Amino acid sequence: MTELIDGKALAREIRGQLRGAIETLADADSRPGLATVLMGDDPASQTYVNMKQRDCEEVGIDGRHVDVDGDAPAETLYETIEDLNADPDVHGYLVQDPVPDHVDYREVIRRIAPEKDVDGFHPENVGRLVAGDARFRPCTPHGVQKLLEAADVETEGADVTIVGRSRIVGKPLANLLLQKAPDGNATVTVCHSRTENLAEKTRRADVLIAAVGVPELIDASMVGDGTVVIDVGINRVDADTEKGYELVGDVDFDGVKERASAITPVPGGVGPMTRAMLLYNTVKAASEQSGVPVELP
Ligand code: NAD
C-alpha cells in the first residue's frame, strides 16, 4: 500500500503546536510580528501574501502587509526595508519574489536584517546553513524535512536524489540533507537542466524529491519500486475548471504512486508545509529577539 504523505494535516498540527509558543511570547509582551512586502501587483504574488497574512491571523501572529508601487524606484523599496529593519514589533519579514525588472532582488535580500530574514535567503543565513549552523532553514526545504520525519523516512545513509538546483529549494535542501544530523546524513545527488541520463539518477534513489517546475516531468519509468517521492512542484495547467486551470506537480502522481512506497500529493503536500514553516521561523525570530525562550515543534 502506498502511503499518502498528508502535508495539510501535518501543517495543521505544526500550526497548533506553534500557538502555545505564540501565547508565551504574547504574555511576555513580544507577540511575534510578520510583515510581507509586495512591490507591484502580480496576481499570483497577491494570492501568496494574502495566504501568509491569513495564516498569521489564524495562529495569533501580528501580520502586516506593505504594498510598494511597482513603478517606484528601487530606493522606495529600500526605505520600506529600512523601516522594517528598525521596527521592534516586526520580528520577521519577506519581500515577495518576483520584484519588477528594474529592481535587483539580490540587492533587496542583502538589505534585509539577517535576524529578520525569515525566508532564510540573506547571504549570511545561506552561509550559516552551509556551515551547519542554520539560523533559519528556508521554508520549503524545512517543510520537506518535516514531511520525511513525520512519515518515518530515515535519511541517514539513504540515497536522496533532488531534481532542481534552485536557490530556494534544491540547493538549500541538498545542504540540509547532507548535514551531519539525524534529519540529514543522506548521500545526496542534485540533478538539473544539464544533467545527462536523468532517469538513471532518479531510479536509484531511496528518496526522490522533484523541484523542477515542469508539469509531471517525473513519470513511473523514472522511479524505482519502493521509492519515497516528494513533489515540490506547483504548476498551473489549463483545465476545464471554473478557474480555467488546475494545479499539478512535477510528478505524474497517478503513474508514480503505483511504484512509490510513499508520496506527497499536489496540492496538499509540500505547499501547506512551506507556509507553516514561515510561521515557525517568525516565532523563532521573535523568541531570539525578545530573549523569551519557547519550545518549537
Ligand atoms: P526554478 O525554476 O528556480 O528551478 C528549477 C530547477 O529545475 C533548475 O535548477 C533547473 O536546472 C531544473 N530543471 C529545469 N528543467 C529540468 C529538466 N528538464 N530536467 C532536470 N532539471 C530541470 O524553480 P523553483 O523555484 O525551485 O521551483 C520549482 C517548482 O517548485 C515550481 O513548480 C515551483 O512552483 C515549485 N515550488 C513550490 C513550493 C512549495 O511550497 N510547494 C515552493 C517553491 C517552489
Side-chain angles (χ1 to χ4, degrees), residues 48 140 163-170 191-195 198 210-214 217 231-235 250 270-272 274-275:
Y48 289 136
T140 303
V163 189
R165 58 171 163 191
S166 72
R167 181 181 56 80
I168 63 167
V169 188
C191 303
H192 48 79
S193 52
R194 304 295 173 91
T195 295
L198 179 64
V212 194
V214 177
L217 173 78
D231 189 354
V232 179
I234 301 179
N235 308 291
D250 291 342
V270 177
T274 296
R275 289 165 57 186

Side-chain angles (χ1 to χ4, degrees), residues 4-10 147 264-273:
L4 191 68
I5 307 176
D6 187 345
K8 215 169 155 181
L10 181 59
L147 283 167
T264 57
V266 176
V270 177
M273 289 302 295

Side-chain angles (χ1 to χ4, degrees), residues 243-265:
K243 290 182 174 164
Y245 67 84
E246 64 178 356
L247 296 180
V248 301
D250 291 342
V251 174
D252 167 21
F253 182 84
D254 290 334
V256 168
K257 80 171 192 305
E258 303 301 326
R259 307 203 90 145
S261 60
I263 186 166
T264 57

